[in-house]
Amino acid sequence: MKSRRPSFTDSGSESSELDSKSPEKYETATRRRMAANARERKRMQGLNTAFDRLRKVVPQWGQDKKLSKYETLQMALSYIMALNRILTDAKRHNTSHRQWLELQFDCMQPENYPCLMRYDSASGQEYIHSAFSYQFDGHQVHT
DNA sequence: TAGGCCATCTGGTCCT
DNA sequence: AGGACCAGATGGCCTA
């Protein structure tokens, strides 16, 4: 448990309001709220597990720091589009194996991942996220 | 120290 | 009625 807001089960306005009702009702409401909190925690944990699984299959470009949830979604979107492009291009041109591989590398260039283009508020210009400071020759594409 | 990211709590809404 | 889902609020942790 990382942090915890003061809940109405501890003390607070809601608590005092419920105190004016019967103790049974207060107890029932408290129990229901705590159960709902537990369910919500579990739901969010499931969501985070899904994000972790998504991070594992999405390119990391040698980045040591894990992608945020927002970045993960953006990267997944771009990755899917890039893969889709590979498939459609390969079909269209009926390429050889070597050509197909070259096409893949071409599609995997960072500039094909606009999700990681950041806006620099200081300079007012776009710049490439540090995630792309990788050596492509070294094939440091972590998936 | 400010800003980003995150976990948690909470109340509202919708669905079964 | 109770569970699932969602969004807003809040506070902790971390980094530049």
Side-chain angles (χ1 to χ4, degrees), chain A residues 16 19 61 67 100 108 118 120 138:
Chain A
S16 57
D19 281 343
W61 305 107
L67 297 175
W100 185 79
M108 291 305 198
R118 295 290 185 76
D120 186 352

Side-chain angles (χ1 to χ4, degrees), chain A residues 6-64:
Chain A
S7 69
F8 83 90
T9 58
D10 299 332
S11 65
S13 57
E14 294 92 341
S15 170
S16 57
E17 189 185 329
L18 284 166
D19 281 343
S20 62
K21 300 177 181 175
S22 70
E24 294 80 27
K25 279 188 178 175
Y26 172 71
E27 197 172 325
T28 303
T30 301
R31 186 161 31 81
R32 275 218 286 267
R33 219 329 114 192
M34 289 175 76
N37 290 347
R39 283 195 304 273
E40 179 65 8
R41 276 197 302 273
K42 195 175 176 185
R43 193 182 71 84
M44 293 308 295
Q45 282 163 8
L47 192 60
N48 289 334
T49 300
F51 266 106
D52 286 338
R53 291 174 65 188
L54 190 56
R55 280 188 191 99
K56 283 196 175 83
V57 299
V58 138
Q60 296 272 346
W61 305 107
Q63 191 182 28
D64 50 347

Side-chain angles (χ1 to χ4, degrees), chain A residues 25 27-28 34-35 37 44 49 58 67-68 75 78-79 86 88 92 102 112 119 130 140:
Chain A
K25 279 188 178 175
E27 197 172 325
T28 303
M34 289 175 76
N37 290 347
M44 293 308 295
T49 300
V58 138
L67 297 175
S68 71
M75 179 58 97
S78 297
Y79 189 43
I86 289 171
T88 53
R92 192 188 313 147
E102 284 171 357
N112 287 321
Y119 188 79
S130 60
Q140 291 186 324

Side-chain angles (χ1 to χ4, degrees), chain A residues 30 51 58 60-61 67 70 73 81 84 90 117 127-128 132:
Chain A
T30 301
F51 266 106
V58 138
Q60 296 272 346
W61 305 107
L67 297 175
Y70 176 78
L73 289 179
M81 290 173 74
N84 189 46
M117 294 293 286
Y127 67 95
I128 294 180
F132 289 142

Side-chain angles (χ1 to χ4, degrees), chain A residues 101-119:
Chain A
L101 278 177
E102 284 171 357
L103 193 59
Q104 276 199 84
F105 282 123
D106 183 48
C107 285
M108 291 305 198
Q109 295 300 325
E111 54 266 27
N112 287 321
Y113 291 84
C115 64
L116 291 185
M117 294 293 286
R118 295 290 185 76
Y119 188 79

